[in-house]
Amino acid sequence: MDITIIYGTETGNSEGLANDAEAKLNELGHSAKVFDMADVTVEQLKEAGVVLVVTSTWGDGDAPSNAEDLHDALESSSEDLSGVAYAVFALGDSSFDNFCQAGKDFDEYLDKLGAKRLLPVVLSDGDYDDTFPEWVENVAEQLS
């Protein structure tokens, strides 16, 4: 199955995790590709089929700079994404009031546009070494 993995990052953690997910999913027989959110449009997502979102939150609830355009485009979009299945893995710091807000936003926007949620959004507070591999396994299980 073709899987599009998109990442939003300021420090590189989400990009590294997206690349890990790509390797694992390809190893399991899927065809996964990673894209920087700065290079992705809502129209491209509409054609993606399966979209995995791996994003951090910057500042107090903001999308990372490379994810701002896609975040804003999804928020204001009226595209029909009912042909898309998705899952979101959000990284954040629970000491902030708007913990993992960017990930929560992507989950909300994709759902609002009709995309099918494969798994509940995962909110990670620095423990992604444990939670991310499990999330990738759960995604793979949902797709098989």
Side-chain angles (χ1 to χ4, degrees):
M1 177 169 297
D2 290 344
I3 303 168
T4 298
I5 305 168
I6 60 176
Y7 67 87
T9 192
E10 286 290 340
T11 63
N13 290 336
S14 295
E15 180 180 8
L17 292 175
N19 288 321
D20 291 349
E22 176 187 41
K24 180 64 176 174
L25 291 166
N26 286 337
E27 182 182 299
L28 294 172
H30 298 286
S31 177
K33 290 192 175 84
V34 172
F35 298 92
D36 184 319
M37 282 191 197
D39 301 325
V40 176
T41 65
V42 177
E43 292 74 26
Q44 288 170 311
L45 292 182
K46 185 176 182 176
E47 305 301 320
V50 177
V51 176
L52 303 183
V53 177
V54 182
T55 187
S56 61
T57 299
W58 187 247
D60 192 22
D62 297 324
S65 56
N66 75 310
E68 286 174 351
D69 289 346
L70 183 61
H71 179 273
D72 295 346
L74 283 167
E75 182 179 21
S76 61
S77 179
S78 58
E79 284 284 349
D80 175 8
L81 297 185
S82 60
V84 175
Y86 77 95
V88 177
F89 189 89
L91 291 83
D93 180 339
S94 61
S95 68
F96 285 90
D97 290 338
N98 295 311
F99 173 57
C100 287
Q101 189 61 51
K104 292 174 187 175
D105 289 349
F106 278 107
D107 181 65
E108 176 189 331
Y109 302 157
L110 289 166
D111 179 61
K112 176 191 71 157
L113 295 173
K116 177 183 178 263
R117 185 184 292 115
L118 293 169
L119 299 168
V121 61
V122 172
L123 308 178
S124 174
D125 185 17
D127 59 349
Y128 55 81
D129 288 341
D130 298 328
T131 54
F132 191 76
E134 180 182 343
W135 179 76
V136 174
E137 291 286 341
N138 289 338
V139 166
E141 193 174 293
Q142 289 295 314
L143 296 175
S144 58

